[in-house]
């Protein structure tokens, strides 16, 4: 059924111009909805991570038993929870660190990169959290336990695998985190051919039925046209050396992506179209090397280094996040893991365990977007973007769900495809008081916030039948169009 809560939505008057943002006087964009699918993503396409560095202090700042936390995670289900990050290559699972004194290569080359034990008590808390929420756990094993001859020492991994098997958790496995950057982080390197042999040994340990992904290279560098992405850049060279041996053992090829350095990022960076253009080329670069393999974006956020203070957790970060989800789904990526659910400046939740704006965007995405990705063409200013999927399975079967972005400083009129003109519902998202660095977000004019630690009913506006819609300056929106689905949405897969 279509919800019929009406909220008056302003279409002008929001958001003064941002320094460095694209100046535009406003105008009309045209949307063409193609009949063929661009991709079919997993139901848990939008997923998230908990950095294992938080476990280093026995969850001192994260209460995994919190009912508020669990309520917020339920709003993002189904999902994969990645337990990984830089500290994955320092983690010793339920064994004394001294047993690995000669094999652990996680040296104090950078701050806090020293081996630590994930205790049985700490693991129990995480295990209960994962099982109670029916999450799939993406567990990143330590790849820097190395014998004197440089071969991977898999004894601790064996303990992890046997323990998780006994507990019956749904698990996907990784080995190592950003191996092409080991020299930079740990003053130690593992050749891609060596890591590939390690993955084959891990595959033998896991058996053929287990899910194994990798190698989690970071920041593939790009240039030029989409179809001409380089293969001679560091991340691509690592993949080239790794995949010929390990490719057959993998269920997906994984890489990490951020747009810029959080320590130097500015407000203008978050609406700079040059930054938004990078991801499409990075995916193309990985696809060129991966040669048809499934691709996961297994760690990603707005800015590396923990995010940009006051920006990665603000309203304007949503432009990068939603555009990333749209581009990744359209370009054939099967899974996107947000860094992070909690922690740093890029967490979906803040230090008080309350939603940052990107959480609300993620929640709305889960509410209306289905896994079948449609091809959409938007003609007009580059500041206007629209991404559409067949509607969520709980919506009418002939609906199409879209999200739209207006990164410009003026309202934009969007002329709709003829199939999208019968109306529907809309969630219009704008910043409180026009402040792009606000930690809050308005949905159809109402501030989104928890109600006694529970998710609220989302304020929804009715879209009357029309040939167009209007996007306020610096706005984001989700629309569900009734009776808009092409035949490709209705066919059985």
């Amino acid at each position: 059924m279509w919800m019929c809560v009406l909220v008056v939505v302003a279409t002008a008057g929001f958001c003064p111009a941002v320094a460095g943002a694209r100046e535009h006087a406003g105008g009309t964009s045209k949307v063409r909805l193609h009949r063929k699918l661009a991709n079919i993503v997993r139901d848990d396409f939008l997923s998230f991570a908990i950095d294992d560095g938080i476990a280093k202090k026995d969850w001192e700042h994260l209460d995994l038993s919190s009912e508020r936390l669990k309520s917020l995670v339920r709003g993002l289900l189904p999902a994969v929870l990645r337990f990984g990050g830089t500290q994955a290559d320092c983690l010793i699972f339920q064994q004394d660190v001294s047993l690995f004194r000669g094999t652990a290569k996680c040296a104090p080359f950078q701050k806090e990169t020293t081996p630590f034990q994930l205790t049985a008590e700490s693991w129990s808390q995480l295990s209960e959290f994962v099982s109670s929420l029916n999450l799939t756990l993406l567990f990143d094993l330590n790849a820097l336990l190395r014998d004197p001859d440089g071969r991977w020492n898999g004894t601790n991994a064996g303990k992890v695998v046997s323990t998780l098997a006994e507990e019956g958790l749904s698990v996907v496995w990784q080995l190592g985190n950003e191996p092409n950057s080991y020299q930079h982080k740990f003053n130690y390197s593992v050749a891609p051919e060596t890591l590939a042999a390690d993955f084959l040994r891990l595959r033998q340990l896991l058996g053929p039925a287990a899910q194994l992904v990798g190698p989690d290279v970071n920041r593939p560098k790009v240039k030029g046209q989409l179809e001409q992405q380089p293969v001679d850049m560091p991340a691509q060279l690592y993949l080239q050396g790794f995949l010929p041996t390990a490719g057959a053992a993998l269920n997906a090829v994984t890489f990490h992506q951020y747009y810029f350095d959080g320590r130097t990022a500015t407000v203008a960076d978050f609406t700079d179209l040059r930054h938004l253009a990078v991801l499409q080329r990075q995916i193309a670069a990985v696809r060129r090397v991966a040669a048809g393999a499934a691709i996961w974006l297994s760690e990603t956020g707005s800015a590396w280094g923990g995010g940009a203070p006051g920006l990665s957790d603000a309203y304007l970060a949503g432009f990068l996040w939603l555009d990333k989800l749209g581009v990744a789904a359209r370009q054939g990526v099967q899974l996107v893991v947000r860094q992070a659910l909690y922690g740093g400046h890029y967490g979906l939740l803040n230090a008080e365990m309350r939603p940052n704006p990107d959480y609300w965007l993620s929640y709305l995405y889960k509410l209306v977007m289905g896994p079948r990705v449609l091809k959409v063409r938007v003609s007009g200013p580059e500041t206007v973007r629209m991404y559409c999927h067949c509607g969520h399975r709980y919506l009418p079967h002939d609906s199409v769900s879209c999200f739209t972005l207006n990164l410009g400083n003026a309202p934009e009129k969007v002329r709709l495809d003829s199939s999208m003109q019968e109306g529907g519902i809309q969630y219009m998202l704008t910043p409180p008081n026009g402040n792009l660095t606000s930690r809050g977000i308005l949905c159809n004019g109402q501030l989104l916030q928890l109600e006694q630690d529970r998710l609220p009913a989302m304020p929804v506006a009715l879209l009357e039948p029309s040939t167009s819609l209007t996007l306020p300056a610096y706005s984001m929106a989700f629309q569900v169009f009734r009776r808009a689905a092409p035949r490709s949405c209705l066919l059985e897969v």
Side-chain angles (χ1 to χ4, degrees):
M1 294 182 62
W2 292 94
M3 291 178 277
C4 297
V5 180
L6 279 173
V7 179
V8 176
V9 182
T11 59
F14 284 99
C15 309
V18 176
R22 181 69 60 91
E23 296 288 331
H24 184 65
T28 299
S29 300
K30 294 181 180 179
V31 173
R32 181 187 175 194
L33 184 66
H34 292 255
R35 302 307 176 220
K36 293 184 178 180
L37 298 181
N39 189 22
I40 300 177
V41 299
R42 295 164 53 113
D43 288 339
D44 53 12
F45 170 74
L46 192 167
S47 291
F48 45 84
I50 292 179
D51 196 289
D52 41 17
I54 299 177
K56 193 170 186 176
K57 298 181 180 179
D58 295 319
W59 309 111
E60 180 181 2
H61 301 294
L62 179 60
D63 180 5
L64 293 173
S65 66
S66 163
E67 285 305 315
R68 180 193 297 171
L69 175 61
K70 290 183 177 181
S71 177
L72 288 165
V73 170
R74 288 187 190 100
L76 302 181
L77 297 179
V80 170
L81 171 65
R82 182 184 187 233
F83 182 55
T86 299
Q87 299 289 344
D89 288 308
C90 304
L91 186 149
I92 308 296
F93 186 84
Q94 296 185 18
Q95 290 183 289
D96 195 281
V97 171
S98 63
L99 297 174
F100 299 89
R101 196 178 307 278
T103 57
K105 304 304 179 183
C106 166
F109 187 59
Q110 286 190 342
K111 185 179 179 181
E112 296 186 352
T113 54
T114 54
F116 70 98
Q117 181 187 161
L118 181 69
T119 65
E121 181 180 351
S122 288
W123 165 249
S124 177
Q125 293 178 55
L126 180 60
S127 177
E128 190 282 331
F129 179 76
V130 170
S131 60
S132 68
L133 293 165
N134 200 30
L135 291 161
T136 295
L137 182 65
L138 179 55
F139 196 107
D140 194 358
L141 295 165
N142 188 339
L144 286 183
L145 296 176
R146 295 277 153 183
D147 289 330
D149 62 359
R151 282 164 51 91
W152 177 57
N153 186 317
T155 55
N156 192 247
K159 183 171 180 58
V160 181
V161 172
S162 61
T163 299
L164 272 60
E166 290 173 2
E167 297 184 8
L169 297 179
S170 173
V171 186
V172 180
W173 299 96
Q174 296 173 295
L175 178 60
N177 182 78
E178 301 179 354
N180 57 315
S181 293
Y182 280 165
Q183 187 66 43
H184 167 68
K185 293 180 179 178
F186 302 112
N187 199 27
Y188 185 87
S189 61
V190 177
E193 296 81 4
T194 301
L195 188 66
D198 301 333
F199 265 75
L200 295 183
R201 292 179 60 209
L202 177 56
R203 169 55 75 190
Q204 288 182 326
L205 174 65
L206 296 172
Q211 297 281 302
L212 175 62
V213 301
D216 289 79
V217 295
N218 68 327
R219 285 192 281 157
K221 294 183 179 179
V222 294
K223 61 184 179 181
Q225 299 300 314
L226 284 177
E227 66 277 7
Q228 298 173 342
Q229 288 310 310
V231 295
D232 59 348
M233 298 295 185
Q236 290 92 308
L237 285 174
Y238 204 95
L239 287 173
Q240 277 190 306
F242 173 84
L243 289 175
T245 298
L250 299 177
N251 297 99
V253 174
T254 54
F255 77 104
H256 298 177
Q257 188 270 348
Y258 296 87
Y259 293 100
F260 37 70
D261 190 337
R263 294 162 293 191
T264 58
T266 65
V267 169
D269 285 325
F270 283 77
T271 56
D272 191 324
L273 299 181
R274 293 170 297 181
H275 290 312
L276 272 74
V278 167
L279 177 60
Q280 187 175 6
R281 298 202 300 275
Q282 288 176 314
I283 295 171
V286 174
R287 287 178 68 89
R288 186 177 178 193
V289 181
I295 296 175
W296 290 10
L297 185 46
S298 54
E299 180 186 314
T300 192
S302 56
W304 65 81
L311 300 175
S312 293
D313 50 2
Y315 171 88
L316 84 170
F319 293 116
L320 293 176
W321 179 226
L322 282 186
D323 194 68
K324 178 173 296 183
L325 292 172
V327 168
R330 185 186 65 199
Q331 295 299 112
V333 174
Q334 293 299 305
L335 185 80
V336 174
V337 180
R338 169 62 182 255
Q339 183 77 1
L341 175 65
Y342 171 88
H345 302 289
Y346 44 33
L348 294 175
L349 308 177
N350 66 21
E352 288 74 41
M353 209 64 66
R354 295 190 179 278
N356 284 321
D358 277 5
Y359 174 88
W360 295 112
L361 300 178
S362 303
Y363 177 57
L364 278 168
Y365 187 100
K366 291 283 189 175
L367 202 62
V368 302
M369 306 301 289
R372 299 190 193 192
V373 185
L374 294 165
K375 295 180 180 180
V376 181
R377 179 182 176 86
V378 180
S379 58
E382 294 179 90
T383 51
V384 175
R385 292 155 189 246
M386 175 178 271
Y387 302 96
C388 297
H389 295 203
C390 305
H392 193 284
R393 64 179 178 273
Y394 295 130
L395 293 170
H397 74 283
D398 58 356
S399 63
V400 166
S401 297
C402 304
F403 55 95
T404 53
L405 311 175
N406 179 11
L407 292 97
N409 63 351
E412 287 286 346
K413 186 176 183 180
V414 178
R415 190 173 300 281
L416 298 170
D417 186 88
S418 60
S419 65
M420 306 165 75
Q421 297 179 7
E422 293 196 37
I425 57 175
Q426 177 169 254
Y427 303 90
M428 177 60 68
L429 302 155
T430 51
N433 301 314
N435 180 11
L436 294 179
T437 59
S438 172
R439 305 291 177 85
I441 187 168
L442 303 177
C443 181
N444 290 328
Q446 296 185 25
L447 182 67
L448 294 178
Q449 53 191 342
L450 296 178
E451 296 177 352
Q452 297 182 341
D453 290 346
R454 295 186 179 276
L455 291 166
M458 300 298 284
V460 60
L462 188 66
L463 278 178
E464 296 289 350
S466 177
T467 60
S468 64
L469 54 84
T470 300
L471 305 176
Y474 299 121
S475 66
M476 298 170 268
F478 286 83
Q479 294 94 8
V480 180
F481 296 99
R482 61 162 61 99
R483 292 190 289 275
R487 188 166 178 266
S488 55
C489 287
L490 307 176
L491 296 174
E492 293 291 333
V493 177

